Amino acid sequence: MNKLPQYSNCELLCPAGDKLAFFSAINNGADAIYLGLTQFSARQKATNFDIDNLDYYLCYAHNLGVKIYITLNTLIKDTEVSQYLELARQAYQKGVDAFIVQDIFLAKEIAKLCPNISLHLSTQGGTCNVEGAKLAKAMGFNRIIVARETPIEELALMTKIIDTEVFTQGALCSSISGQCLFSSVVGGNSGNRGLCKQPCRQLYSLDNSPPNYALSLADLSVGEDIEKFANIGVKSFKIEGRLRGVDYVASSAKYYSCIMRGLDAKQAYLDMQSCYCRGEYTKGLAFGQNKDLFAHLSQGHIGREIGLVSKVGNFCVISTKEKFKTNDCFKLLRQGKESGTGVFLQQTNDLIIKYNGDIKFGDSVRLIKTTLCPSLTKKIDITCVIDFEINKQSKVSLSYGDTIITVEGQILEQAQNQQLTELSLSTCFSKTQDYPFNPKIVIEKLDNVFMPTSKLNELRRLAYLTLFEKLGNVNKAERLKEIAPTQNLNLIEMGKLNTILSSLTAVIDDEFEGYDNYDIAVYFPNNYKDKDKLAKFINNTCGKQRYLYLPNFLTSKDIAVIEKIIDNFEGIFVQGYYGIELSKRLGKQLFCGFGYNIFNTISAKYLKESAKYISLSNELNLEESQKIKDAVSDAFIQNIGSLEIMQFAYCPLGKDCVNCAKNEFHTLIDKDKRINILRRYEISQCRFTLYNCSNLLYRQNGNRIVNLVGIEKSLKAKVISCLDSPAQLTNIMGSYTRGHSNKGVQ
């Protein structure tokens, strides 16, 4: 069935973490599927797909008009670049439709290898404004997967520049896309490398409040409001969930497919809730922050409510008109918190479940697991023409639209005993096995002939395989001729500069003394509109290079604030890709912050074409970062001070603006009593940065960054005065971490 007019140019993009999810997505209305291979995927814990068996899934999808996008969306180390590009080359030659990439600079190398491939900038790239959209287009991307936090007003501007893709369903990261180091800092498992351990889903006490899931966001479900996205020109609606079950993929795909086709979507929505629902669903930040954004009280899947406990004894009774099945599972909540679990026992009128936990009258009963009705397998109608004449080769022709293939088998002899019949041939060729065909069998010619069953089956398999590959191998033949293996490529030469630089950059806030001890001052104000504090900073940094700190998430409204004060600075210290375009528009020097996550020499060299200074990723170890510094001038590493681990575009305090004291600093305390500092700052509206419980401290020669934001005022001057004395720094800073300087990340 065709889509509604407003969705006629829109794509439904579904996840596939394994082959079952792959088929479920197709059978329930996906226009495109994104999946990862065994390497370089941001969902390394998914089953994923192997490059060697990718051909079949590509052909299967292409037979049905479904596109396949491959996720190559992790950060890549120097030692992995060749392997990464070789994997891209192989996948390209097999006929993939697009690559989803996080590193915008490695994408240029992919484009050299894979002519005319469609490149999609991952949401990990953090594209959130017009400048970011312009940069992506200039870098050769065909589409941006917009940062989940982007307001719809900003999104409307971006759709006029480049094709956009938005998340409409699934889990929400607490931190701004691509800017979370929480998992890597606490356990060495980097979200930027596909191994996030989700520490944001743990219990925390925010400002000494009772512990709850303070950073855990509810699942996104835009639902029928995707029409608002369609109306401003969004091209692709994306469902998150490569780590979720096949039933979730099936029900979520069906739900949005029904909406886009004007069909009744109610049952699909209920099924989707039952398969996975964290919180009560939220429309997300595109439409502004609401109270439903958080899942503070109960972690994980809470399903959908099917009734309340009406009686408790040895078993639990729920009055409901809905019918349930054996093996259905339930979770019970009281005032939003889990009170127990249950499984189906029996049902005549009331539902009776066997339970565990402290269950009471009136508890909410929620379905969290059920068996869904299987979807019909999606197939295409083809015609199968059989021509079996005596003393001639057996011949089968298959056709779909303008595509016709013919295969021939053995020469047929007259039957002596058992001859082939129309029924036996129809029965044989109706078996399409693993191919998505619905054949109409036409017996054009059938003499009194015989063929062994094994040969007949062989002919059938050859016919269907030939059509399958003919329809599925889109551009494969041409691509095989286009490129050579990566070892023959002339990648950017990684020469060694052998220069010795030693410059100190300090990231400072509004409370700091001792300005004479560093070369570059990066100002990160509490309020970008506060002219008095800005004047104090300017007066105290005479003779220094001044840069204004810009976070990775910046809207047009924020940029309007920046434009009013930018003349006081030589440049901007930016944590997001958009800074490349914004620095040009503002006519200011660019200092690329550690938020760029520069992980390899290729990206560093490309970036230096636009930036005066660059920072390397805080997830590299010293050996990895030193190799890049040897090849690229003016590269900095943060080695001392506050360590940014999360950035928030929403208010973790619940956006209670009426009662908010607008304190600059808050505390987030984990179960082990470790205190992380949460800093509020304001541009056009409030933003928040979370700093690690222990400050960063390790010895590093050459260009260094010390981040003094959030460090106690009395300590700041002391830290600066003894930067080259590790023993004194250790005593001053107390608890500290060496970060990833020794081991790096996996």
Side-chain angles (χ1 to χ4, degrees), residues 35-47:
L35 55 88
L37 302 175
T38 51
Q39 292 176 293
F40 311 124
S41 164
R43 293 293 183 270
Q44 286 296 99
K45 296 174 187 175
T47 302

Side-chain angles (χ1 to χ4, degrees), residues 5-8 10 152 166 225-235 237:
Q6 60 267 43
Y7 302 116
S8 58
C10 297
I152 192 167
V166 298
D225 280 346
I226 61 169
E227 185 172 3
K228 296 177 181 177
F229 289 143
N231 289 340
I232 62 170
V234 171
K235 296 298 184 184
F237 304 137

Side-chain angles (χ1 to χ4, degrees), residues 19 35 50 96 112 114 198 296 325 333-334 400 412 455 530 535 581 636 650 709 743 746:
K19 66 179 183 180
L35 55 88
D50 190 273
V96 301
K112 292 177 184 178
C114 309
Q198 298 189 319
H296 284 333
K325 304 182 287 291
L333 302 181
R334 185 181 310 134
Y400 174 71
L412 296 167
K455 294 295 183 181
D530 192 323
E581 286 294 314
F636 284 72
Y650 62 87
V709 177
K743 294 183 179 180
Q746 298 181 34

Side-chain angles (χ1 to χ4, degrees), residues 249-357:
V249 173
S251 56
S252 57
K254 187 174 183 180
Y255 174 55
Y256 284 94
S257 180
C258 286
I259 291 174
M260 295 170 73
R261 288 166 174 77
L263 304 175
D264 185 359
K266 182 178 180 180
Q267 187 58 51
Y269 179 78
L270 296 176
D271 289 341
M272 182 176 67
Q273 267 192 308
S274 302
C275 292
Y276 204 95
C277 175
R278 180 187 279 114
E280 295 289 357
Y281 283 149
T282 174
K283 297 288 185 181
L285 291 170
F287 306 104
Q289 180 176 341
N290 293 319
K291 291 183 178 180
D292 62 6
L293 179 65
F294 297 100
H296 284 333
L297 299 178
S298 182
Q299 184 47 264
H301 177 31
I302 64 169
R304 66 175 178 89
E305 187 175 73
I306 55 95
L308 305 178
V309 173
S310 59
K311 188 183 297 184
V312 183
N314 292 332
F315 305 104
C316 180
V317 180
I318 303 98
S319 297
T320 177
K321 294 181 180 180
E322 190 173 350
K323 296 300 179 182
F324 297 91
K325 304 182 287 291
T326 302
N327 298 324
D328 282 356
C329 297
F330 306 88
K331 182 177 283 189
L332 292 91
L333 302 181
R334 185 181 310 134
Q335 295 181 339
K337 296 183 178 181
E338 184 176 337
S339 56
T341 58
V343 294
F344 178 93
L345 187 63
Q346 66 181 56
Q347 184 176 19
T348 50
N349 293 317
D350 291 342
L351 169 65
I352 301 175
I353 64 174
K354 184 179 180 181
Y355 70 89
N356 288 304

Side-chain angles (χ1 to χ4, degrees), residues 52-69:
D52 294 327
N53 64 21
L54 186 60
D55 298 87
Y56 170 75
Y57 297 102
L58 280 168
C59 279
Y60 193 98
H62 288 160
N63 269 259
L64 296 166
V66 175
K67 294 181 179 180
I68 297 294
Y69 306 151

Side-chain angles (χ1 to χ4, degrees), residues 50 53 61 93 155 240 276 293 313 322 363 414 435 466 477 481 515 564 585 589 601 617 667 669 679 720-721 724:
D50 190 273
N53 64 21
Q93 288 186 324
L155 181 57
E240 186 276 341
Y276 204 95
L293 179 65
E322 190 173 350
D363 283 357
Q414 184 170 348
Y435 305 123
T466 303
K481 300 174 184 177
Y515 295 98
K564 294 179 180 179
R585 182 159 75 81
Q589 295 175 357
T601 306
S617 173
T667 58
I669 307 173
R679 181 184 186 237
I720 282 289
S721 65
D724 295 314

Side-chain angles (χ1 to χ4, degrees), residues 150-414:
T150 307
I152 192 167
E153 298 83 6
E154 196 79 24
L155 181 57
L157 301 174
M158 296 160 73
T159 60
K160 294 177 172 60
I161 298 167
I162 191 172
D163 281 358
T164 56
E165 176 180 310
V166 298
F167 282 91
T168 59
Q169 185 68 40
L172 287 174
C173 288
S174 297
S175 177
I176 292 169
S177 304
Q179 296 296 312
C180 184
L181 301 188
F182 207 169
S183 178
S184 73
V185 168
V186 300
N189 296 282
S190 171
N192 287 312
R193 302 271 287 171
L195 295 169
C196 181
K197 289 287 188 180
Q198 298 189 319
C200 56
R201 305 294 185 186
Q202 303 301 313
L203 289 168
Y204 295 96
S205 177
L206 183 56
D207 286 342
N208 296 311
S209 63
N212 64 15
Y213 300 103
L215 300 182
S216 184
L217 303 188
D219 272 9
L220 177 69
S221 187
V222 176
E224 293 183 355
D225 280 346
I226 61 169
E227 185 172 3
K228 296 177 181 177
F229 289 143
N231 289 340
I232 62 170
V234 171
K235 296 298 184 184
S236 181
F237 304 137
K238 185 172 192 174
I239 297 171
E240 186 276 341
R242 281 192 285 151
L243 290 175
R244 294 191 175 173
V246 61
D247 286 344
Y248 178 82
V249 173
S251 56
S252 57
K254 187 174 183 180
Y255 174 55
Y256 284 94
S257 180
C258 286
I259 291 174
M260 295 170 73
R261 288 166 174 77
L263 304 175
D264 185 359
K266 182 178 180 180
Q267 187 58 51
Y269 179 78
L270 296 176
D271 289 341
M272 182 176 67
Q273 267 192 308
S274 302
C275 292
Y276 204 95
C277 175
R278 180 187 279 114
E280 295 289 357
Y281 283 149
T282 174
K283 297 288 185 181
L285 291 170
F287 306 104
Q289 180 176 341
N290 293 319
K291 291 183 178 180
D292 62 6
L293 179 65
F294 297 100
H296 284 333
L297 299 178
S298 182
Q299 184 47 264
H301 177 31
I302 64 169
R304 66 175 178 89
E305 187 175 73
I306 55 95
L308 305 178
V309 173
S310 59
K311 188 183 297 184
V312 183
N314 292 332
F315 305 104
C316 180
V317 180
I318 303 98
S319 297
T320 177
K321 294 181 180 180
E322 190 173 350
K323 296 300 179 182
F324 297 91
K325 304 182 287 291
T326 302
N327 298 324
D328 282 356
C329 297
F330 306 88
K331 182 177 283 189
L332 292 91
L333 302 181
R334 185 181 310 134
Q335 295 181 339
K337 296 183 178 181
E338 184 176 337
S339 56
T341 58
V343 294
F344 178 93
L345 187 63
Q346 66 181 56
Q347 184 176 19
T348 50
N349 293 317
D350 291 342
L351 169 65
I352 301 175
I353 64 174
K354 184 179 180 181
Y355 70 89
N356 288 304
D358 178 27
I359 308 303
K360 294 183 179 180
F361 175 84
D363 283 357
S364 171
V365 184
R366 309 181 72 92
L367 179 66
I368 60 170
K369 184 179 179 182
T370 190
T371 303
L372 301 183
C373 296
S375 303
L376 295 175
T377 301
K378 187 176 180 181
K379 295 185 176 183
I380 58 174
D381 294 327
I382 65 170
T383 301
C384 173
V385 178
I386 298 172
D387 185 351
F388 279 19
E389 294 185 66
I390 194 168
N391 296 326
K392 291 185 178 181
Q393 284 186 298
S394 52
K395 184 166 65 174
V396 177
S397 297
L398 303 178
S399 60
Y400 174 71
D402 296 331
T403 302
I404 301 173
I405 66 96
T406 299
V407 297
E408 294 180 333
Q410 70 180 58
I411 296 175
L412 296 167
E413 298 178 354
Q414 184 170 348

